[in-house]
Amino acid sequence: TFWNRWGGGVHPKWPVHAMVADTLAYVWGNSWESSCSKGHSGPTPLGKTFWPAAELAELTTCKKPLTVYSARNASTAKPQITAGDFRLYEDRVGKPGWIASQPGSCMKFQLTFGQDPRFAVTYLKSYRNISNVQVKLRKATYTLKGHWPKGDSRQVSLYSTKWFKVHKSELGVRATKFARLYTLADFTFMSGVEPNSKLTVELCLSPVNDQSQQKIKVVQVVSC
């Protein structure tokens, strides 16, 4: 298979991505060409979606953020370092981020929300030498785990993005296929956040016992 020949471990190398893309382009191209050659644009679209409205509502996101903090873009907003040793630098060539290794290190982000308040934090997850990111919003806290879940065999370091949002109906979401993606904390963390409001979110290094794991890296925070 493509994976066995060019897999390279836990993730396929670029030839696999290219072959999958070429295959999809070939299939879609043939479908469009066949449809157009018959003098029509294909089947008439259905008058409704395939997915229930409650489930589609959980997938909505913003096309244009109202606030952007990006370690890769110097023209975006800058967080306020309030404690510890947070610094913006590259721990790997070409991979900048706000990095801290001192427990209690914190930085604040001023966020602007739109009609459907939500924000996202992109941070580093790894299999070693990594701690947790504690997210604070008003009196609520949420912990982003830096390590892969227990039993996960991935020996890689990847950026992970966590979206926080105001859930309009907890009961509605619980009845959908996305219920397993959320915990009670997901529903309560942004409870009471008003549309079109402005709030401060604080990100801190959550202390751990193993001194070798005292590090977190945040690369982007956006809100809409």
Side-chain angles (χ1 to χ4, degrees):
T1 63
F2 290 165
W3 187 280
N4 290 334
R5 187 172 182 180
W6 290 294
V10 297
H11 194 85
K13 295 182 179 179
W14 69 265
V16 179
H17 289 273
M19 290 176 182
V20 171
D22 289 344
T23 300
L24 289 174
Y26 175 79
V27 172
W28 290 342
N30 280 350
S31 298
W32 292 331
E33 183 178 6
S34 175
S35 177
C36 292
S37 66
K38 296 177 181 178
H40 60 80
S41 59
T44 302
L46 297 176
K48 61 180 181 180
T49 63
F50 289 101
W51 289 78
E55 298 188 8
L56 291 176
E58 287 304 305
L59 299 177
T60 57
T61 185
C62 52
K63 295 181 180 179
K64 186 177 181 180
L66 297 177
T67 313
V68 178
Y69 295 82
S70 175
R72 295 185 176 184
N73 190 340
S75 66
T76 60
K78 306 296 188 294
Q80 177 188 1
I81 310 301
T82 57
D85 62 349
F86 264 113
R87 288 192 300 118
L88 175 59
Y89 67 96
E90 297 181 358
D91 57 345
R92 296 290 185 274
V93 177
K95 296 183 178 181
W98 289 284
I99 301 171
S101 58
Q102 180 180 323
S105 295
C106 295
M107 53 183 174
K108 290 183 177 181
F109 298 79
Q110 302 291 332
L111 303 183
T112 298
F113 297 111
Q115 188 60 35
D116 188 10
R118 64 189 66 209
F119 72 96
V121 177
T122 301
Y123 65 105
L124 182 68
K125 287 181 71 76
S126 187
Y127 61 100
R128 65 178 182 178
N129 300 333
I130 200 74
S131 190
N132 300 328
V133 180
Q134 188 175 62
V135 186
K136 301 179 181 180
L137 176 63
R138 300 188 297 187
K139 295 183 179 180
T141 60
Y142 192 103
T143 299
L144 299 175
K145 299 293 186 180
H147 272 275
W148 296 113
K150 187 176 182 180
D152 194 312
S153 61
R154 283 178 286 185
Q155 300 290 300
V156 294
S157 297
L158 298 171
Y159 294 137
S160 178
T161 298
K162 170 64 178 178
W163 277 97
F164 299 91
K165 62 173 290 184
V166 175
H167 292 274
K168 297 179 180 179
S169 172
E170 177 178 346
L171 293 178
V173 176
R174 290 298 186 191
T176 72
K177 296 177 182 179
F178 301 106
R180 64 183 179 82
L181 301 178
Y182 301 105
T183 65
L184 179 60
D186 287 307
F187 291 106
T188 60
F189 185 70
M190 289 190 68
S191 177
V193 175
E194 297 292 333
N196 306 309
S197 60
K198 294 184 179 181
L199 291 173
T200 299
V201 169
E202 188 173 36
L203 304 183
C204 299
L205 190 157
S206 182
V208 293
N209 294 326
D210 185 351
Q211 192 66 30
S212 66
Q213 297 178 0
Q214 304 287 11
K215 172 186 174 180
I216 60 173
K217 180 178 182 180
V218 177
V219 297
Q220 182 173 272
V221 176
V222 299
S223 71
C224 51

